[in-house]
């Protein structure tokens, strides 16, 4: 029996993390403290009032535990990790889960490219961002490639220089043509450096260069070229205008401000890079325990910057935080360079913080209901399903479907939802290999076996190579629950596959009625009814429809490809490359039939054997004579 009064006497006067449990041993709150004994005692002192919600939380505490750390910084890191892992009911949590786009310059390559990236890694490449608009990033990359003639292909250089034909970009004068060998690595790197300067904010130099070239082309009456420079100049100026100057010191900084009421808080972040405001975004937090504003900023900073790959040199705050020194130390260690938390008191910097705060107030008042509705459709719906199935938590859901036409071209689909939203980058398609005819059970067994076997193999290889913990693929991330499109039969197929592979993953069947509408979930040999007006039911329907749509689209695409058939596909030794070469060389089958074996063999992609196979196919009645003629010609 846990005696709270006795256990309170044992808590040391040391920094650390305390963990509150309810009677079911579920973690309901995680906190950190400079002094564990002082902080934990406060929860059980009637005179210490921290609001109604804190009292509700305390009423549910059955027992607690604590972890002593050497410093307040270690306590901060540990608290954040425990909150992310356990997502306690009474902790304030960020509702948004966003990844920002970056512009990546692949300096690790011999002839670098400019690419779109969702992650910033610690490597030799150069990253710019983060940006809030993926569309703006794609537009900027396109502009940079046109301005500096950088390659967009994925060819391996210098190995393939001169071995392949240049692409359309080269002929349109939008690429320097590395593949042709007409530009040296030194010259190309000068263009890359100019692109780096441009991405770093030096627009004026490019603007001046384009004006000079436009005027020069115009004087030479090369009006088409002048028009091209004019269009590029307009694109550069648009890029300049989109990024408003906020300071002249060219610093990287984030500006953080918030607005809060009794239940919710909205944090507004302005992203300033190289002295320019490149974008903004907001985050929503639900206030569950304490309403003191002094802890809101601290909670937000620790949660937000633990998940973002880029930490700027300065972070402007609308008010000071009591743990500023600890947060600065933690942020500096993550960044690898000094980070400062600054609270501007006057001037333009203070005005910028005020602007962020006003934006937060506007979002809080206008978007509060919308945010809650969206959360109900996603996170709330997932929680409904978890509660219905009796599962502690669901983050990742996978659903599968089979599509075929009377057993012809059978395919399988795998769709993934995370936090109630589709994660399309993790969708996968399967072309069935072992099943003939319309056998949905056997087809589903093959799809599930291949999916989870692939995942286990990748995890095993990563362990052998010492790469555990690195970025996971769609196959190595196993779901919290598998949703099968059907009842007992489909569920048993899935459970059988998992048992054979030694996996333990909950499986639920999405049961349909006589009208092909979902009516409930089949789980643990019981059909669980579900309210058709609930968000959980709507999410199940979306998941089911998405799996069906994805399978149908894949099957339709294969069916279309199968109908596009050339007689060349039936000739031994003629693959896609040779087929294209023959179709490029001859305008019709009759023209091809009129060609000799020597004519066919003279095509670069062909060889003697392939040419003879084509000739024999087109002259079936003269096969023996044709062979003699070919041998005679070869002898001469």
């Amino acid at each position: 029996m846990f005696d709270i009064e006795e256990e309170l006497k044992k808590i040391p006067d040391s920094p650390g993390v305390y963990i509150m449990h309810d009677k079911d041993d579920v973690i309901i709150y995680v906190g950190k403290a400079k002094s564990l004994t002082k902080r934990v005692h406060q929860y059980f002192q009637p005179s210490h009032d921290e609001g109604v919600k804190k009292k509700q939380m305390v009423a549910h505490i059955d027992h607690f535990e604590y972890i002593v750390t050497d410093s307040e910084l270690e306590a901060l890191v540990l608290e954040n990790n425990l909150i992310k892992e356990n997502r306690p009911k009474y902790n304030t949590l960020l509702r948004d889960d966003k990844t920002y786009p970056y512009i990546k310059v692949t300096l690790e390559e011999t002839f670098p490219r400019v690419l779109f990236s969702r992650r910033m890694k610690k490597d030799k490449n150069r990253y710019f961002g983060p940006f809030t608009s993926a569309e703006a990033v794609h537009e900027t990359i396109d502009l940079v490639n046109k301005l500096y003639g950088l390659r967009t292909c994925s060819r391996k250089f210098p190995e393939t220089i001169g071995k392949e034909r240049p692409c359309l970009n080269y002929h349109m004068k939008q690429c320097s043509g590395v593949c042709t060998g007409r530009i040296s690595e030194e010259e190309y790197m000068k263009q890359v450096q100019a692109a780096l300067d441009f991405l770093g904010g030096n627009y004026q130099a490019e603007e001046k260069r384009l004006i000079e070239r436009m005027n020069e082309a115009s004087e030479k009456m090369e009006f088409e070229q002048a028009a091209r420079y004019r269009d590029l100049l307009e694109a550069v100026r648009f890029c300049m205008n989109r990024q408003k100057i906020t300071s002249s010191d060219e610093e990287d900084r984030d500006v953080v401000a918030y607005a809060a009421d009794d239940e919710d808080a909205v944090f507004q972040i302005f992203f300033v890079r190289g002295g320019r405001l490149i974008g903004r975004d907001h985050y929503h937090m639900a206030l569950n325990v304490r309403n003191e504003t002094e802890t809101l900023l601290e909670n937000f900073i620790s949660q937000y910057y633990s998940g973002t790959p880029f930490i700027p040199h300065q972070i402007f705050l609308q008010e000071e935080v009591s743990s500023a020194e600890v947060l600065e130390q933690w942020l500096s260690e993550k960044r690898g360079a000094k980070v400062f938390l600054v609270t501007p008191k006057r001037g333009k910097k203070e005005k910028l913080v005020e602007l962020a705060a006003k934006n937060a107030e506007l979002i809080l008042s206008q978007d509060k209901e919308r945010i809650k509705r969206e959360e109900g459709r996603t996170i709330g719906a997932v929680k409904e399903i978890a509660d219905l199935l009796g599962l502690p938590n669901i983050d990742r859901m996978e659903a599968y479907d089979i599509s075929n036409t009377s057993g012809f071209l059978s395919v399988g689909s795998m769709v993934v939802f995370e936090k109630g939203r589709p994660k399309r980058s993790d969708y996968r398609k399967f072309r069935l290999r072992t099943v003939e005819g319309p056998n949905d059970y056997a087809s589903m067994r093959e799809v599930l076996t291949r999916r989870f076997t692939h995942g286990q193999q990748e995890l095993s290889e990563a362990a052998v190579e010492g790469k555990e913990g690195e970025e996971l693929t769609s196959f190595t991330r196993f779901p919290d629950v598998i949703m099968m499109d059907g009842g007992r039969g489909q569920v048993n197929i899935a459970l059988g596959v998992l048992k054979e592979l030694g996996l333990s993953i909950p499986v639920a069947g999405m049961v349909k009625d006589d009208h092909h509408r979902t009516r409930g979930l089949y789980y643990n040999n019981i059909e669980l009814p579900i309210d058709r007006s609930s968000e959980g039911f709507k999410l199940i329907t979306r998941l089911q429809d998405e799996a069906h749509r994805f399978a149908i689209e894949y099957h339709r695409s294969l069916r279309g490809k199968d109908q596009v058939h050339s007689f060349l596909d039936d000739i031994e030794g003629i693959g896609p490359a040779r087929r294209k070469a023959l179709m490029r060389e001859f305008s019709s089958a009759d023209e091809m039939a009129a060609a000799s074996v020597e004519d066919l063999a003279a095509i670069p992609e062909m060889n003697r054997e392939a040419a003879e196979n084509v000739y024999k196919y087109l002259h079936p009645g003269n096969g023996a004579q044709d062979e003699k003629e070919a041998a005679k010609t070869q002898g001469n």
Side-chain angles (χ1 to χ4, degrees):
M1 183 71 178
F2 189 89
D3 189 331
I4 290 181
E5 292 298 327
E6 287 299 318
E7 295 300 324
L8 286 173
K9 297 175 183 177
K10 302 175 183 177
I11 302 176
D13 186 17
S14 305
V17 172
Y18 54 93
I19 305 164
M20 305 297 191
H21 296 256
D22 64 11
K23 59 182 178 59
D24 297 319
D25 202 31
V26 175
I27 296 175
I28 59 175
Y29 188 75
V30 175
K32 70 174 187 312
K34 190 174 183 178
S35 169
L36 281 171
T37 184
K38 291 178 182 177
R39 184 64 190 124
V40 178
H41 271 80
Q42 286 178 347
Y43 284 97
F44 303 97
Q45 292 176 358
S47 60
H48 189 78
D49 185 12
E50 292 194 73
V52 175
K53 291 185 178 179
K54 181 260 181 179
K55 290 181 179 178
Q56 292 174 350
M57 185 268 286
V58 172
H60 287 88
I61 296 175
D62 178 76
H63 58 282
F64 59 81
E65 58 180 313
Y66 50 86
I67 302 171
V68 176
T69 60
D70 290 333
S71 66
E72 197 176 350
L73 173 62
E74 289 183 7
L76 171 72
V77 175
L78 179 58
E79 177 202 35
N80 193 51
N81 291 338
L82 289 173
I83 289 174
K84 281 193 168 185
E85 180 181 350
N86 297 285
R87 302 188 68 82
K89 178 179 179 179
Y90 290 100
N91 280 97
T92 54
L93 299 170
L94 285 179
R95 289 180 178 172
D96 305 77
D97 185 20
K98 305 175 184 178
T99 56
Y100 293 100
Y102 292 81
I103 294 176
K104 173 183 176 182
V105 183
T106 60
L107 296 179
E108 288 186 336
E109 295 182 312
T110 307
F111 290 87
R113 294 173 291 163
V114 180
L115 303 176
F116 179 97
S117 177
R118 284 284 181 184
R119 298 179 182 274
M120 186 175 75
K121 300 180 180 178
K122 292 183 177 179
D123 52 28
K124 295 180 181 179
N125 299 314
R126 182 83 178 273
Y127 294 85
F128 296 88
F131 300 93
T132 55
S133 169
E135 182 182 2
V137 170
H138 285 298
E139 289 175 356
T140 303
I141 291 173
D142 187 50
L143 173 61
V144 169
N145 286 332
K146 289 178 180 178
L147 285 173
Y148 304 104
L150 304 183
R151 70 183 182 100
T152 58
C153 64
S154 57
R155 298 176 183 177
K156 298 291 184 183
F157 295 123
E159 298 94 324
T160 59
I161 290 178
K163 295 182 180 180
E164 298 182 45
R165 293 181 179 180
C167 65
L168 189 60
N169 282 345
Y170 173 75
H171 296 293
M172 294 173 64
K173 298 183 180 180
Q174 293 183 6
C175 175
S176 303
V178 175
C179 56
T180 66
R182 295 177 185 176
I183 182 171
S184 67
E185 183 179 351
E186 184 180 359
E187 291 173 0
Y188 187 85
M189 287 308 297
K190 288 180 181 178
Q191 294 176 194
V192 171
Q193 185 56 53
L196 291 172
D197 292 341
F198 180 82
L199 291 170
N202 186 10
Y203 302 119
Q204 288 75 16
E206 187 57 42
E207 182 185 26
K208 182 179 179 182
R209 184 177 72 92
L210 288 173
I211 291 173
E212 290 174 353
R213 290 191 174 187
M214 181 179 67
N215 292 335
E216 183 181 340
S218 182
E219 289 173 3
K220 293 180 180 179
M221 302 186 72
E222 297 174 353
F223 299 117
E224 186 176 342
Q225 190 69 7
R228 178 174 172 269
Y229 290 133
R230 178 203 62 202
D231 294 342
L232 288 174
L233 181 61
E234 289 179 359
V236 169
R237 285 174 173 168
F238 177 76
C239 197
M240 291 170 63
N241 292 332
R242 186 166 54 199
Q243 302 201 22
K244 174 186 175 184
I245 295 289
T246 58
S247 66
S248 58
D249 55 13
E250 298 187 352
E251 280 280 8
D252 289 343
R253 61 171 60 98
D254 288 350
V255 181
V256 181
Y258 72 94
D261 57 20
D262 291 338
E263 296 181 346
D264 299 276
V266 169
F267 284 81
Q268 179 78 53
I269 308 180
F270 285 171
F271 302 108
V272 180
R273 301 292 179 263
R276 289 173 170 78
L277 178 62
I278 65 165
R280 63 180 184 175
D281 214 335
H282 66 272
Y283 289 83
H284 184 271
M285 293 181 77
L287 308 184
N288 288 323
V289 180
R290 292 169 287 173
N291 297 332
E292 296 97 327
T293 57
E294 66 183 40
T295 60
L296 279 178
L297 268 176
E298 181 182 308
N299 287 339
F300 175 78
I301 292 169
S302 61
Q303 290 188 54
Y304 174 74
Y305 288 104
S306 68
T308 183
F310 181 81
I311 300 176
H313 177 57
Q314 294 180 337
I315 301 173
F316 284 0
L317 306 177
Q318 75 188 98
E319 59 193 40
E320 296 179 358
V321 292
S322 58
S323 58
E325 186 177 343
V326 177
L327 287 171
E328 284 181 342
Q329 185 182 349
W330 172 62
L331 291 167
S332 298
E333 288 182 3
K334 284 183 65 67
R335 183 176 187 263
K338 188 63 178 174
V339 177
F340 296 94
L341 299 179
V342 181
T343 307
K345 301 297 183 183
R346 60 182 181 273
K348 291 182 179 180
K349 295 176 180 178
E350 184 189 23
K351 295 294 184 184
L352 190 60
V353 175
E354 289 179 359
L355 181 62
K358 287 180 181 178
N359 276 269
E361 290 176 4
L362 188 65
I363 294 168
L364 181 66
S365 61
Q366 293 183 348
D367 290 358
K368 184 174 179 180
E369 290 304 316
R370 178 187 61 77
I371 291 171
K372 286 190 173 181
R373 283 197 303 272
E374 179 61 22
E375 185 192 41
R377 289 183 70 251
T378 55
I379 299 174
V382 172
K383 189 176 186 306
E384 282 183 24
I385 296 171
D387 292 342
L388 180 67
L389 300 178
L391 299 175
N393 181 55
I394 294 178
D395 179 52
R396 182 183 176 97
M397 306 167 70
E398 291 183 5
Y400 299 83
D401 197 13
I402 303 296
S403 179
N404 60 64
T405 304
S406 300
F408 174 67
L409 286 178
S410 292
V411 300
S413 69
M414 161 185 155
V415 301
V416 179
F417 276 41
E418 286 192 356
K419 295 182 173 61
R421 295 185 177 91
K423 189 176 183 184
R424 292 183 174 84
S425 61
D426 280 7
Y427 285 15
R428 292 295 181 268
K429 299 176 286 192
F430 300 85
R431 179 81 177 265
L432 296 183
R433 302 168 181 166
T434 63
V435 180
E436 294 183 3
N439 189 332
D440 282 356
Y441 284 173
S443 299
M444 188 59 72
R445 182 180 291 108
E446 179 185 331
V447 167
L448 291 171
T449 301
R450 284 167 58 186
R451 181 263 181 269
F452 289 104
T453 301
H454 192 156
Q456 288 181 319
Q457 288 175 348
E458 284 194 18
L459 288 171
S460 178
E461 290 170 3
V464 171
E465 296 172 6
K467 295 181 178 180
E468 301 99 326
E470 293 192 6
E471 185 176 341
L472 298 176
T473 69
S474 174
F475 285 129
T476 52
R477 291 200 61 192
F478 290 172
D480 298 304
V481 64
I482 298 172
M483 306 294 283
M484 301 299 296
D485 186 24
R488 177 180 304 190
Q490 293 282 15
V491 169
N492 287 339
I493 289 294
L495 290 173
V497 170
L498 295 173
K499 184 177 180 181
E500 289 173 10
L501 298 176
L503 297 173
S504 178
I505 300 173
V507 181
M510 298 177 283
V511 185
K512 297 178 180 178
D513 59 20
D514 295 336
H515 301 285
H516 209 67
R517 294 176 302 189
T518 304
R519 73 182 184 210
L521 292 178
Y522 182 82
Y523 184 65
N524 284 345
N525 296 318
I526 300 173
E527 184 176 322
L528 304 171
I530 184 168
D531 181 4
R532 291 191 175 184
S533 64
S534 68
E535 292 296 343
F537 177 83
K538 294 174 184 176
L539 176 59
I540 291 170
T541 302
R542 290 198 297 273
L543 185 66
Q544 200 169 31
D545 291 345
E546 184 70 351
H548 188 60
R549 177 199 66 79
F550 196 53
I552 288 288
E553 285 187 0
Y554 181 42
H555 181 255
R556 187 179 294 132
S557 69
L558 291 179
R559 210 167 58 228
K561 290 176 183 177
D562 192 68
Q563 291 168 356
V564 180
H565 186 81
S566 167
F567 71 86
L568 295 173
D569 294 325
D570 299 327
I571 303 176
E572 184 179 354
I574 303 301
R578 285 174 176 165
R579 182 181 62 191
K580 289 179 183 178
L582 288 165
M583 294 175 72
R584 184 173 61 243
E585 190 73 22
F586 303 103
S587 59
S588 66
D590 290 338
E591 187 178 330
M592 196 181 301
S596 67
V597 173
E598 296 299 326
D599 294 333
L600 293 168
I603 298 172
E605 289 83 357
M606 299 285 286
N607 59 25
R608 183 81 192 182
E609 182 182 357
E612 290 175 355
N613 289 341
V614 173
Y615 191 87
K616 290 175 186 177
Y617 186 90
L618 294 172
H619 303 83
N622 301 323
Q625 183 65 30
D626 295 335
E627 287 182 13
K628 291 179 182 178
E629 290 295 328
K632 183 178 178 182
T633 302
Q634 195 170 16
N636 294 335

